[in-house]
Amino acid sequence: MINRTIKIKSIQSLDRIAITLIAGLTIAIFILLFQGDHSVPRVRSFTWQDKQIGVEHDRFVITFTRPMDRVSVETNLHINPPLPGKFSWAGRRLVYTVISPAPYGTEYQLNLQNATDKYAKSGKAGAILQPFNAKFRTRDRAFAYIGVEGQNSGQLMLVNLSSSSPKPIVLTPPDLVVSDFKLYPQGDRILFLANDRNSQRQGTLQQKLYEVTTGIHNNSPEPEPVSKEPAGKLKLVLDNKDYQILKFDLSPDGETIVMQLVSRRNPGDFGIWTLQANSAPKPLPGQPGGEFLITPDSKALAVTQGQGLAIVPLTGSQDQPLDFLPKYGSILAFSRDGLAAATVKFNQDFTRSLFLVNTQGTEQELQRINGSILDAQFDPTGETLYCLLTKLVASEQYQEQPYIVAINLKTRETKKLLEFSPNQRQVQINLSPDGIALLFDQPLISPQPAAGISDAVRTDDNAAIITSRLWLLPISAINTTDASTIPQPEELPITGVRPVWLP
């Protein structure tokens, strides 16, 4: 009986303690609610903080701990150097979309202070945002090219213009002669086609497909896989035991390789094949060959078929093309968003026309010339098309004179940027990912095969390249309506061919 009485008293004591605690907490809650929220609004996350961004990163997100007064945030947000953009909001999230790509090789500082929360009253403590400072940078300004002189002839080279010592570094071994290469989207690796030097000297085609690391390790906002290997780590991707590899393309996402292969046993057996990581090559049914280019979404292939261009899926059934453009003989480039393409039409009067074709079915002729249309590249905004064209020169012999033009796709105004000497048709151009500079080469071609250059780098029509200068043409200030703003090219202290900017 005594024990039962003790237990009842203990339970009653615990009840009184619990009731007292509940009452105390209730009073404290009412006091806090009456006095208001004293917590200081803060930036919870910034998606570009301490990251390296590329042209594909066109917006960042700032998330706050509390709803903010939007005008005060937009007024007090500063980026140095300036990076113009547009604001949009989704609750506590601020989305800032840049108007044009940020120039590569630049470090930025973002500062936000004196902004207030959404429910702040004048003079009320805790309403002002805790000052926020952050840094981010764009990727390095770097490019790859093929060496043409001395011990570096035929080797894949890399130059990082953003480094403290922008000297060329060798990526491939001396026993390989590189003929073509493509960049992976993070710039950490390069896919290339190469012949061994002995086969090159003998004039036989023994090309294999390789992959090599660049030593570039971008810290992207997205957790994408990036090679951490140093520059020059070589890997064989595909040999040539059964098929010769004639040409290839790499999808923009870096997941699919498209190749044109021809059987060693039966030369009549040739066609387009696809290759993905950890799988064997697969033929693309119904595609015997021709020029091809992978679409920006990495899901389809534009390929020449007879008297037109077909867009065929890379996976699934290829029985029916996704689209067919009957009057175009080749495709030069897609815009970055995939909504437009630059194509070439071969006219019956032996002229050539450069057309802009978009996904809405609109086809517009941009140029009609009596020469050749060698290349066209969209700037990252899709508003300007940079073209490498040629014109026929009055002469006893057939001569073509290359020149570079910029075409404003909104106004259709054309501006000539640079003109080359006649018979320099082997010039190649490449537009930087941020759209502010063009790289181009100026190869000197041997008139005939010469002793001592049997293993030299060769053009697409198998002519030996003796040497080649590399040039940089700044185009960030180009105005297609002002003839006085003609940029002047800068010769680089490098010899090589086929320069390509890293993404």
Side-chain angles (χ1 to χ4, degrees):
M1 187 69 180
I2 295 174
N3 290 338
R4 183 177 179 183
T5 302
I6 293 173
K7 288 182 180 179
I8 292 174
K9 289 182 177 180
S10 298
I11 292 172
Q12 291 175 343
S13 177
L14 290 173
D15 288 343
R16 285 195 295 271
I17 293 173
I19 292 171
T20 302
L21 288 174
I22 291 172
L25 289 173
T26 302
I27 293 171
I29 290 171
F30 275 108
I31 291 174
L32 288 175
L33 291 174
F34 178 77
Q35 291 182 344
D37 188 356
H38 285 270
S39 65
V40 177
R42 296 178 295 104
V43 171
R44 176 169 291 166
S45 64
F46 168 47
T47 53
W48 286 2
Q49 186 164 7
D50 299 324
K51 300 295 184 180
Q52 259 184 308
I53 63 170
V55 66
E56 68 272 22
H57 302 111
D58 59 356
R59 67 194 63 188
F60 62 72
V61 178
I62 297 178
T63 304
F64 298 93
T65 57
R66 291 166 60 178
M68 300 297 295
D69 178 77
R70 297 179 179 183
V71 174
S72 71
V73 172
E74 295 175 11
T75 303
N76 291 285
L77 179 66
H78 301 288
I79 303 175
N80 187 38
L83 189 60
K86 299 178 181 179
F87 296 94
S88 60
W89 290 83
R92 300 182 184 183
R93 292 158 48 94
L94 164 65
V95 181
Y96 187 83
T97 304
V98 298
I99 295 174
S100 57
Y104 277 30
T106 306
E107 182 171 277
Y108 291 87
Q109 294 199 10
L110 182 142
N111 174 267
L112 178 59
Q113 55 185 356
N114 298 324
T116 58
D117 70 7
K118 183 177 181 179
Y119 307 106
K121 296 179 180 179
S122 179
K124 186 176 179 180
I128 300 178
L129 177 79
Q130 178 180 319
F132 178 74
N133 296 282
K135 293 181 180 180
F136 63 94
R137 62 172 292 116
T138 48
R139 293 174 183 167
D140 290 349
R141 296 181 60 79
F143 66 91
Y145 66 95
I146 302 173
V148 293
E149 288 187 353
Q151 61 183 5
N152 297 136
S153 177
Q155 291 183 285
L156 195 57
M157 312 289 291
L158 177 72
V159 176
N160 188 345
L161 299 178
S162 299
S163 69
S164 56
S165 179
K167 296 181 179 179
I169 62 172
V170 181
L171 297 180
T172 56
D175 61 328
L176 295 178
V177 178
V178 179
S179 60
D180 193 14
F181 62 95
K182 307 290 181 182
L183 284 299
Y184 280 87
Q186 288 293 318
D188 58 327
R189 294 166 294 149
I190 299 178
L191 185 70
F192 68 94
L193 194 61
N195 210 15
D196 70 84
R197 199 165 293 274
N198 288 331
S199 298
Q200 188 85 354
R201 288 171 181 157
Q202 297 169 8
T204 58
L205 191 65
Q206 301 290 339
Q207 295 186 121
K208 299 178 183 178
L209 202 58
Y210 300 87
E211 179 186 293
V212 68
T213 55
T214 63
I216 301 292
H217 308 143
N218 292 319
N219 183 20
S220 176
E222 295 83 16
E224 299 181 15
V226 177
S227 171
K228 301 297 183 182
E229 298 285 351
K233 184 77 171 183
L234 194 68
K235 173 185 174 182
L236 177 64
V237 176
L238 185 65
D239 60 32
N240 58 2
K241 294 179 181 178
D242 299 319
Y243 289 86
Q244 291 183 353
I245 309 170
L246 302 182
K247 53 189 173 183
F248 73 100
D249 193 18
L250 178 65
S251 63
D253 63 4
E255 298 294 329
T256 305
I257 302 170
V258 176
M259 307 163 293
Q260 188 179 60
L261 304 181
V262 56
S263 172
R264 290 189 171 278
R265 297 180 180 179
N266 178 18
D269 177 13
F270 65 94
I272 296 178
W273 294 58
T274 62
L275 176 63
Q276 294 183 322
N278 303 318
S279 63
K282 298 178 181 178
L284 202 62
Q287 306 302 325
E291 299 294 327
F292 55 83
L293 185 65
I294 302 176
T295 56
D297 62 4
S298 302
K299 296 180 180 179
L301 187 73
V303 58
T304 57
Q305 288 186 349
Q307 299 298 317
L309 286 169
I311 310 297
V312 298
L314 285 175
T315 58
S317 174
Q318 282 86 26
D319 294 338
Q320 293 292 332
L322 300 174
D323 198 2
F324 186 73
L325 305 173
K327 63 183 181 181
Y328 300 110
S330 67
I331 186 165
L332 300 173
F334 287 102
S335 61
R336 193 166 67 90
D337 56 13
L339 299 180
T343 61
V344 178
K345 178 186 176 184
F346 299 95
N347 302 311
Q348 293 183 352
D349 60 359
F350 302 105
T351 61
R352 291 174 174 86
S353 294
L354 175 66
F355 270 82
L356 179 69
V357 181
N358 62 30
T359 54
Q360 283 74 41
T362 303
E363 303 175 10
Q364 296 181 333
E365 187 178 43
L366 302 177
Q367 293 273 302
R368 179 184 285 255
I369 61 175
N370 61 2
S372 300
I373 303 172
L374 302 179
D375 197 2
Q377 297 177 25
F378 288 88
D379 83 321
T381 65
E383 297 179 355
T384 305
L385 189 66
Y386 294 94
C387 306
L388 179 62
L389 312 174
T390 70
K391 62 181 179 181
L392 297 182
V393 179
S395 172
E396 294 181 358
Q397 296 181 341
Y398 181 86
Q399 287 187 320
E400 291 183 78
Q401 185 172 13
Y403 59 99
I404 301 174
V405 299
I407 303 176
N408 187 314
L409 297 179
K410 289 185 176 180
T411 65
R412 300 296 181 264
E413 292 172 316
T414 299
K415 183 173 185 177
K416 184 179 289 187
L417 304 181
L418 192 64
E419 193 169 80
F420 299 91
S421 301
N423 284 347
Q424 287 191 325
R425 198 178 186 277
Q426 301 298 334
V427 169
Q428 295 194 25
I429 64 172
N430 188 253
L431 179 64
S432 63
D434 54 10
I436 67 174
L438 272 171
L439 279 173
F440 65 90
D441 56 11
Q442 242 182 333
L444 176 62
I445 308 300
S446 173
Q448 58 185 3
I453 61 170
S454 59
D455 61 343
V457 177
R458 297 183 176 274
T459 64
D460 292 337
D461 54 6
N462 205 35
I465 299 174
I466 299 174
T467 187
S468 177
R469 294 182 293 174
L470 293 182
W471 297 77
L472 187 146
L473 181 67
I475 55 176
S476 57
I478 284 179
N479 184 344
T480 54
T481 62
D482 185 0
S484 65
T485 59
I486 300 294
Q488 296 300 313
E490 172 190 350
E491 184 176 3
L492 302 177
I494 300 169
T495 57
V497 292
R498 299 172 186 168
V500 178
W501 293 99
L502 265 65

